[in-house]
Amino acid sequence: VSETSETTVDPRGAGRAFDPAMRWPAQARRLGWLRANVDLLSTPIIVLLGLGAVGLWVSTRTLDDIETRALQPSGILFDLGQHLVLTAYSTVVVIVIAVPLGILLSRRAARRIRDVVLAIAGFAQALPPYGVLVLIAFAPPPFGFNTFAVIVGLVAVALLPVLRNTVVGLRQVDPVLIEAARGMGMSAWTTLLRVELPLAVPVMVAGIRVALVLNVGTAVLATFVGGGGLGSLIVRAQTLNRPIVLVTAGAIVAALALMVDWLAGVAERVVRVRTN
Amino acid sequence: VDLISYVRENAGTVLFYGEQHFLVVLCSITLGSAISVAFALLLSTGDAAPQRWSPNWFLGAICEGALVITAAALTVPSLALLVLLLPLFGLGASTTVTALTVYSLYTVLRNSVAGLSSVDGAVLESAKGLGMNRLRRLIRIQLPLAWPVILNGIRVATLIDVAIAAVAALVRGPGLGQLVLTGLSRYGAANALNQVLVGTFGCLVVAAVFEVFYALIERLTVPRGIRV
């Protein structure tokens, strides 16, 4: 039992290739939690190394007036705040729409539509978020170059991937369990509420993670349609044409995306362990 | 001017940008796939051990490390990666190709690893029994059997790259993103909307061309015995 739960904890987790747990079960139990989660350390290490290197570079150089002003913490924090607000709003909206829709689509009755939606969602990956944001900003009011249009754009970009993830995840719930629940006399509705949905909670958390990562990434482009966010920092850096500002801006954005993904990944891990 | 007559009147320009878009993605995907597949092949031992990536834990660790790092790279927003590469490669195509190559690595590598390690151990064992050495087993047996999975990874990576390539216009990269950029800067002017529309949905056309291209490659390269 412990062996299967070990391997299902993380499909691409560390230690799959070489498994000492088979040889030293007692030590493995003690180290099990640590070993199963050691891969969670990689992202913070990458981020710390990256930010540390950039910070070191910045600190060893004397910044001129323009560079100092561009890298003012207050300005960066303002952009960061806007960025997080955009990401939070759009993620909530995406989840509220995509998860119920995903549950509906994973029903047996929706078999035909499901395949069509999945095919479209797969191909729609090629639709550039940049173009979608600009198109929605070009639409007549209430759209335009405002925050509302940006959030609608972010939702439009993230909706199909999250929907796809939810449907695929829900389909992975073991049909034997559903059959067993039905055999115990549960109605289809009760089965959904008491068996399928609790088992699908990890899938939904994974969906939130996908939505968060996509939205953090797309929100960088919000500045081109009047939405602000950390993209403004990058644009300012590009206009100034100072490598040091440019690299700092890029590193901050990259670090934010990686850390958001990491936090969501930790949440995903916790939920998955609880459900197991 | 409506969209159809815009496309008709500017067919040359639109085709030019579409072609650029196709070529820049093709270059990056070729580079990224070559790196990923070569990496996976190098780390694969061709040993008859199912469910096991490599009997050598060191190679296994390198492989897991590569997957973690390329997955992290895929998480980095495209504009951030592009400006991080700017000081190294400057404005234009080289930055674009480098970024797109980086973005294609994870998907292809993951599928290559999954494909190569999912080859049945019994098959490899019998190849060994036939007297094939490690290299021949890898090239003649493991790679052809894993090829459909690898090709699917390349296909998905292409879709991702086609979308990301549009952002590259912001660092003067080639492709349909230029049309979106021009349209945006000409907001309110004649044809601004048409330019953005063509720039955005043109990417879907480029992706469709790639799909046909891959269908053809699959037809030509997947061994007949394992075709679905």
Side-chain angles (χ1 to χ4, degrees):
Chain A
V1 174
S2 70
E3 198 191 316
T4 49
S5 64
E6 277 279 323
T7 47
T8 50
V9 165
D10 185 18
R12 50 166 237 269
R16 188 186 41 166
F18 167 68
D19 198 4
M22 302 279 281
R23 242 182 272 171
W24 305 292
Q27 285 89 333
R29 255 197 304 281
R30 225 174 302 143
L31 283 172
W33 184 86
L34 197 69
R35 223 170 48 78
N37 295 297
V38 73
D39 58 314
L40 285 180
L41 287 175
S42 59
T43 304
I45 290 175
I46 294 175
V47 169
L48 279 180
L49 283 179
L51 281 184
V54 172
L56 207 67
W57 184 39
V58 173
S59 67
T60 52
R61 279 197 29 181
T62 34
L63 302 176
D64 61 23
D65 271 3
I66 295 171
E67 288 163 352
T68 316
R69 208 168 308 142
L71 292 177
Q72 250 172 9
S74 60
I76 295 178
L77 283 177
F78 177 76
D79 291 337
L80 178 67
Q82 274 188 328
H83 201 98
L84 290 178
V85 168
L86 286 177
T87 308
Y89 272 119
S90 49
T91 302
V92 170
V93 177
V94 166
I95 296 302
V96 165
I97 299 175
V99 169
L101 210 60
I103 292 172
L104 276 181
L105 277 177
S106 68
R107 303 294 86 201
R108 189 184 295 234
R111 204 172 359 176
R112 291 263 171 74
I113 318 170
R114 184 196 312 140
D115 293 341
V116 175
V117 170
L118 285 184
I120 293 176
F123 192 61
Q125 283 181 99
L127 206 58
Y130 178 45
V132 174
L133 279 184
V134 174
L135 270 185
I136 288 175
F138 271 39
F143 302 106
F145 290 78
N146 53 40
T147 314
F148 173 71
V150 171
I151 291 176
V152 172
L154 292 178
V155 171
V157 169
L159 193 62
L160 281 174
V162 176
L163 184 65
R164 184 183 155 85
N165 242 52
T166 312
V167 173
V168 170
L170 282 173
R171 298 295 299 163
Q172 278 169 0
V173 171
D174 195 344
V176 173
L177 294 174
I178 297 169
E179 210 166 312
R182 298 305 301 275
M184 285 166 66
M186 287 189 188
S187 68
W189 186 240
T190 327
T191 312
L192 176 66
L193 285 185
R194 302 206 32 200
V195 178
E196 289 179 76
L197 286 187
L199 283 173
V201 166
V203 176
M204 290 169 203
V205 179
I208 297 177
R209 182 182 183 181
V210 174
L212 269 175
V213 172
L214 283 172
N215 286 329
V216 164
T218 318
V220 177
L221 302 171
T223 179
F224 299 107
V225 288
L230 281 171
S232 324
L233 181 65
I234 292 182
V235 170
R236 282 204 301 275
Q238 246 185 322
T239 334
L240 295 174
N241 196 19
R242 302 283 166 112
I244 196 157
V245 186
L246 210 57
V247 170
T248 312
I252 290 174
V253 174
L256 175 72
L258 285 172
M259 286 318 287
V260 165
D261 180 46
W262 180 73
L263 283 174
V266 172
E268 201 184 331
R269 187 72 57 90
V270 169
V271 168
R272 207 159 18 168
V273 169
R274 288 255 174 89
T275 353
N276 277 354
Chain B
V1 191
D2 65 313
L3 184 63
I4 295 169
S5 37
Y6 167 77
V7 173
R8 199 175 294 149
E9 278 163 32
N10 297 279
T13 322
V14 172
L15 269 179
F16 172 71
Y17 282 127
E19 204 178 319
Q20 270 194 337
H21 204 97
F22 181 84
L23 288 176
V24 83
V25 173
L26 188 66
C27 282
S28 325
I29 283 292
T30 312
L31 258 174
S33 308
I35 295 172
S36 301
V37 175
F39 193 79
L41 281 176
L42 275 180
L43 288 180
S44 160
T45 56
D47 246 314
Q51 291 306 310
R52 183 188 239 188
W53 171 237
S54 157
N56 185 333
W57 69 269
F58 182 67
L59 292 185
I62 290 183
C63 196
E64 294 293 344
L67 279 174
V68 166
I69 290 172
T70 49
L74 194 58
T75 315
V76 173
S78 41
L79 191 55
L81 184 61
L82 286 168
V83 300
L84 280 174
L85 293 172
L86 268 188
L88 295 174
F89 298 98
L91 292 168
S94 38
T95 297
T96 312
V97 171
T98 313
L100 292 182
T101 305
V102 169
Y103 282 123
S104 69
L105 289 177
Y106 174 68
T107 319
V108 182
L109 186 63
R110 187 195 53 195
N111 276 39
S112 307
V113 168
L116 286 174
S117 56
S118 70
V119 173
D120 193 351
V123 174
L124 293 177
E125 193 76 60
S126 44
K128 202 174 181 179
L130 285 171
M132 290 189 174
N133 63 18
R134 237 172 74 171
L135 189 67
R136 269 175 73 86
R137 286 204 300 273
L138 195 59
I139 303 295
R140 299 286 309 271
I141 310 290
Q142 231 177 338
L143 189 59
L145 284 175
W147 182 240
V149 183
I150 299 177
L151 196 62
N152 196 43
I154 297 177
R155 202 181 61 84
V156 174
T158 307
L159 289 178
I160 296 172
D161 268 5
V162 166
I164 294 177
V167 181
L170 296 167
V171 293
R172 302 292 172 271
L176 288 164
Q178 292 284 356
L179 278 178
V180 182
L181 188 71
T182 323
L184 178 61
S185 61
R186 295 177 60 253
Y187 175 64
N191 282 328
L193 178 63
N194 286 334
Q195 283 178 323
V196 177
L197 277 172
V198 171
T200 307
F201 290 100
C203 287
L204 287 186
V205 177
V206 172
V209 173
F210 268 112
E211 295 279 300
V212 173
F213 179 61
Y214 285 129
L216 211 68
I217 290 188
E218 192 173 12
R219 194 84 203 137
L220 291 175
T221 57
V222 171
R224 215 181 319 160
I226 55 171
R227 253 184 230 157
V228 223

